Amino acid sequence: MPSRTLPVPDGLDGARVDAGLAKMLGFSRTFAADVAERGGVALDGRTLSKSDRLRAGGWLDVSWEDKREPEVVPVVVPDLAIIHQDDDIVVVDKPAGVAAHPSPGWDGPTVLGALAAGGVGIATSGAAERRGIVHRLDVGTSGLMVVAKTERAYTALKRAFKEREVEKIYHTVVQGHPDPLSGTIDAPVGRHPSHSWKFAVTPGGKDSVTHYETLEAFPGAALLEVRLETGRTHQIRVHMAAHRHPCVGDPLYGADPTLSARLGLARQWLHARRLSFAHPLTRARESFASDYPADLAHALDVLADRST
């Protein structure tokens, strides 16, 4: 039976159990509620229900039973847009709240499920629940993803990502103002030494390089453009937190919950803005761009109003 023991971060103080577990462990809120209702969540030794509140600094013991094999379930995702499709690839604009592919503990919508519901066929090798996935975005991160539809595209794109030939541009709003305003963070990222659900800058981690540039400064926050050389799990979130400028709306990595509330954010302000790569068949350079979704645009408007 899978289990986790972890502390409640300050940013989730007072959060409902089901909402907090969803943020900390990547569960869907429905699955988190089910775990709690089955008696699988305890805070400092006291069993909690799904509607109980978390307390910062308390220790959670979470255990659950999941015998299901991950499978692609076709589900229409109205906000997921296909912005390019040909015989070899499909490029999507993923909304927040959607995982790249199925995984244990996640029963929410996925990119592969949305493509299946739309009749988009994926014909590559590998585990059925991850076919065509050559890179991923966190559930709480919106923006551009490319999915391979054929074996030749999958092989070529996997190599391009590995060789750092794909340009990945993100925009993020972070707390404070980075000093210097533009720079490079070159620090290895790996599993957190004491919390299996987090990542951290650690000597034993994988090579990770993040370039950033400040686009606009607001009182207490800044809009950055970020270019990734590597693509580690939570890389931007970890690097910015290690730089003492966590992504706004990201309690997992130290964001101020009061600022998130003022901006109306229920997830990290992080968006995959542009994606550029050589087409796996024609080798022509393909570039795609994505506008900010409504929640991120609203947060920027609030910040801009405060700066006048």
Side-chain angles (χ1 to χ4, degrees):
M1 176 180 291
S3 63
R4 295 286 188 276
T5 298
L6 59 159
V8 177
D10 291 343
L12 293 179
D13 187 46
R16 280 175 54 112
V17 166
D18 51 0
L21 287 185
K23 286 182 177 293
M24 287 189 285
L25 296 176
F27 294 164
S28 71
R29 189 157 175 175
T30 300
F31 184 79
D34 183 63
V35 170
E37 291 306 287
R38 292 174 181 268
V41 182
L43 179 66
D44 294 332
R46 183 175 68 87
T47 301
L48 303 179
S49 70
K50 66 180 181 181
S51 59
D52 284 334
R53 301 288 171 170
L54 298 176
R55 178 176 53 80
W59 280 87
L60 277 174
D61 291 296
V62 185
S63 59
W64 65 96
E65 185 174 359
D66 191 351
K67 297 181 179 179
R68 298 168 302 168
E69 290 295 324
E71 61 176 329
V72 175
V73 178
V75 175
V76 174
V77 180
D79 294 335
L80 186 143
I82 294 177
I83 62 174
H84 173 82
Q85 182 178 187
D86 57 40
D87 290 342
D88 290 276
I89 62 172
V90 56
V91 179
V92 302
D93 196 345
K94 184 187 86 69
V98 178
H101 56 74
S103 61
W106 177 258
D107 59 5
T110 66
V111 169
L112 291 184
L115 292 177
V120 178
I122 304 295
T124 67
S125 61
E129 73 274 11
R130 297 192 182 191
R131 284 182 180 169
I133 297 295
V134 293
H135 71 128
R136 294 177 291 181
L137 297 179
D138 295 340
V139 170
T141 299
S142 53
L144 296 168
M145 279 184 61
V146 58
V147 178
K149 294 175 62 179
T150 63
E151 189 65 36
R152 61 185 177 184
Y154 181 82
T155 300
L157 287 173
K158 288 289 283 187
R159 182 199 60 78
F161 275 97
K162 182 178 180 180
E163 298 299 324
R164 305 183 184 183
E165 297 171 354
V166 178
E167 184 178 54
K168 298 168 287 184
I169 303 294
Y170 293 75
H171 283 189
T172 184
V173 173
V174 300
Q175 292 178 197
H177 303 146
D179 183 14
L181 294 176
S182 300
T184 296
I185 303 173
D186 186 349
V189 170
R191 289 281 181 183
H192 195 286
S194 58
H195 308 309
S196 62
W197 46 277
K198 289 181 65 174
F199 290 79
V201 170
T202 175
K206 295 181 179 180
D207 177 40
S208 305
V209 181
T210 302
H211 305 283
Y212 71 90
E213 178 182 356
T214 300
L215 298 179
E216 190 169 2
F218 308 99
L223 173 64
L224 308 184
E225 181 166 281
V226 176
R227 180 171 63 84
L228 293 183
E229 282 194 26
T230 53
R232 309 306 177 200
T233 302
H234 296 186
Q235 179 175 323
I236 295 174
R237 299 164 66 188
V238 169
H239 271 176
M240 298 318 301
H243 205 45
R244 299 186 179 181
H245 297 286
C247 299
V248 170
D250 190 3
L252 201 60
Y253 290 101
D256 178 3
T258 60
L259 177 58
S260 305
R262 286 205 304 270
L263 300 181
L265 284 174
R267 50 102 169 196
Q268 64 264 18
W269 206 116
L270 181 58
H271 186 66
R273 179 76 161 169
R274 296 197 298 275
L275 187 64
S276 180
F277 53 89
H279 189 280
L281 181 62
T282 69
R283 307 307 299 165
R285 196 71 180 175
E286 303 278 1
S287 296
F288 305 94
S290 168
D291 293 333
Y292 301 145
D295 60 338
L296 302 190
H298 171 75
L300 275 185
D301 289 341
V302 174
L303 286 171
D305 287 345
R306 290 181 180 274
S307 67
T308 58

